[in-house]
Every structure is written in structure tokens, then in C-alpha cells.
Amino acid sequence: MNNDRFPHRCKIYREAEANPYDNDKPGETVLYEGKCRSYTRYVTKGTGEVIDSSRTLAIPVKLMEWDVSPFTGDKVVIKIIDREETGEVVDFKPNNFGTDITWSQELTTRC
């Protein structure tokens, strides 16, 4: 049985600012690309009547190992077997085993 701690692949990147005098498309700076674990946390807030959920990425990179730390608004792409999820960083939380990144998922509509 294979039960990998980081079974998914993800990419966190920052879009470069567009230069109005440059005809080229703005680029991106990749902050992290590699293995991760994407999961949902369910928490009860306030009076305990409403259950709220947040999306989290566990990444095996400790605080001092980041060249550039992710900020709110940086882009996230997660590949989970046969599907891809996209969103934006909401919070960056280093811990003893690596880093947890809370992110908001972009909703896509299907016709």
C-alpha cells in the first residue's frame, strides 16, 4: 500500500506586473513547484452553528528554505490525479514539518 504524505503536485507563482511600454505578455515568478498535499479543513466558528471550510496545501518546505515567501494573491495550481484546481493564496503558515498555505479556490462554471 502506497500512502504518500504528499500525493499531489502543485505550483505557486506570482504574476509579474504589466509594463505599459512593453508589448510582451507579463511573466511569472515560480515560488514553488513540486509535491504537496491538498485538503479541506472544516471548522466551527462563533456560536458553533455554522461549519466553515477552507482549502489548505501542505508543502515540505520549512520557513528558512523559502527563497521568496508566498503572499496573499499569489496564484496556486494543484494537480490531483486526473483534475486540476486553481486559486489564490490567502495565508502562509510555516510549521515544524514544512508550510501550510490556505488558499481560495476559483470556481469554474460548466454549461
Side-chain angles (χ1 to χ4, degrees):
M1 179 174 178
N2 184 10
N3 189 10
D4 191 7
R5 178 172 168 77
F6 301 105
H8 309 129
R9 303 285 301 168
C10 66
K11 175 179 168 182
I12 301 171
Y13 64 96
R14 183 168 299 149
E15 292 180 337
E17 295 290 324
N19 182 344
Y21 302 105
D22 189 357
N23 291 333
D24 291 334
K25 294 180 181 178
E28 64 184 36
T29 301
V30 176
L31 306 177
Y32 176 79
E33 189 166 14
K35 61 185 181 177
C36 65
R37 179 171 46 98
S38 179
Y39 62 97
T40 303
R41 284 188 179 164
Y42 295 100
V43 295
T44 305
K45 299 203 175 191
T47 62
E49 296 175 7
V50 178
I51 296 176
D52 187 28
S53 68
S54 64
R55 303 286 290 159
T56 303
L57 279 178
I59 297 175
V61 178
K62 296 180 182 174
L63 178 62
M64 302 308 283
E65 296 173 342
W66 286 97
D67 290 330
V68 178
S69 299
F71 291 130
T72 301
D74 288 341
K75 305 297 182 187
V76 176
V77 178
I78 299 105
K79 292 183 181 177
I80 302 172
I81 304 173
D82 62 345
R83 73 177 196 273
E84 188 173 277
E85 298 178 346
T86 59
E88 290 188 353
V89 172
V90 174
D91 198 10
F92 170 79
K93 299 176 185 177
N95 61 45
N96 291 341
F97 301 109
T99 303
D100 286 342
I101 294 177
T102 304
W103 63 284
S104 62
Q105 187 172 4
E106 292 177 356
L107 300 176
T108 56
T109 57
R110 294 185 183 197
C111 298

